[in-house]
């Protein structure tokens, strides 16, 4: 049985979203380690950096919420482009956050990971949500008939 691209990528998409989410949650619980990695000798900007890291992680969780909503409601589940964008960005996000965790990088670097690996797919999913619910209804032909 041959599957179309969106259906074939569905398990990989779900697992990569989940891996990226788990990496973000693990960053959330060890925030102080990444704040101290920026400048271990100074405590002057720690509260500002912690607030910035917390804001980035909250925005990442909001992006996961948008993507999960559109994925589980079926709006983007069978869309090939959404599946490809999601798989590529979440694979990159999982690897980037894993590197961020293992190397204990400075908390300021999380914004680059957020912009390219969380915000980009969430904006695309939001655009699909707009197209489906507000602008033009898209029908998905599942059975090729």
């Amino acid at each position: 049985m041959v599957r179309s691209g969106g259906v074939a990528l569905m398990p990989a998409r779900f697992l990569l979203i989940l891996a990226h989410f788990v990496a973000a949650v693990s960053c959330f619980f060890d925030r102080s380690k990444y704040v101290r990695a920026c400048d271990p000798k100074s405590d002057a900007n720690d509260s500002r950096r912690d607030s910035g890291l917390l804001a980035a992680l909250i925005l990442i969780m909001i992006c996961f919420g948008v993507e999960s909503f559109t994925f589980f409601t079926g709006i983007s589940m069978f869309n090939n482009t959404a599946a490809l964008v999601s798989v590529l960005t979440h694979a990159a996000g999982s690897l980037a956050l894993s590197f961020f965790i293992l190397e204990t990088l400075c908390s300021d670097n999380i914004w680059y990971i957020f912009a390219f690996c969380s915000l980009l797919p969430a904006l695309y999913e939001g655009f699909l949500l707009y197209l489906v619910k507000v602008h033009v209804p898209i029908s998905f032909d599942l059975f090729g008939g």
Side-chain angles (χ1 to χ4, degrees):
M1 182 172 148
V2 177
R3 295 184 189 184
S4 68
V7 176
L9 289 176
M10 195 182 319
R13 182 179 178 189
F14 175 73
L15 291 174
L16 286 168
I17 289 173
L18 193 61
H20 192 184
F21 178 76
V22 168
V25 168
S26 66
C27 285
F28 181 76
F29 287 117
D30 286 334
R31 286 192 332 258
S32 62
K33 180 170 58 172
Y34 308 113
V35 170
R36 276 185 265 119
C38 294
D39 190 10
K41 295 179 178 77
S42 173
D43 290 336
N45 291 327
D46 280 358
S47 65
R48 182 189 63 82
R49 283 202 169 109
D50 185 52
S51 298
L53 180 60
L54 184 62
L57 290 171
I58 288 172
L59 288 172
I60 287 172
M61 297 302 164
I62 291 171
C63 289
F64 282 131
V66 169
E67 275 197 271
S68 297
F69 175 76
T70 57
F71 181 70
F72 290 124
T73 57
I75 292 170
S76 67
M77 189 177 286
F78 302 107
N79 188 312
N80 294 339
T81 308
L84 184 62
V85 167
S86 183
V87 164
L88 292 177
T89 55
H90 287 298
S94 299
L95 290 173
L97 277 177
S98 298
F99 186 74
F100 181 82
I101 291 168
L102 292 175
E103 296 295 322
T104 314
L105 296 178
C106 177
S107 62
D108 295 338
N109 295 326
I110 195 86
W111 288 104
Y112 300 110
I113 298 170
F114 163 71
F116 294 112
C117 302
S118 294
L119 186 62
L120 182 67
L123 287 176
Y124 188 76
E125 298 278 341
F127 176 69
L128 283 178
L129 182 65
Y130 168 75
L131 285 180
V132 170
K133 295 296 181 191
V134 177
H135 190 57
V136 178
I138 299 173
S139 65
F140 296 103
D141 188 13
L142 299 178
F143 302 107

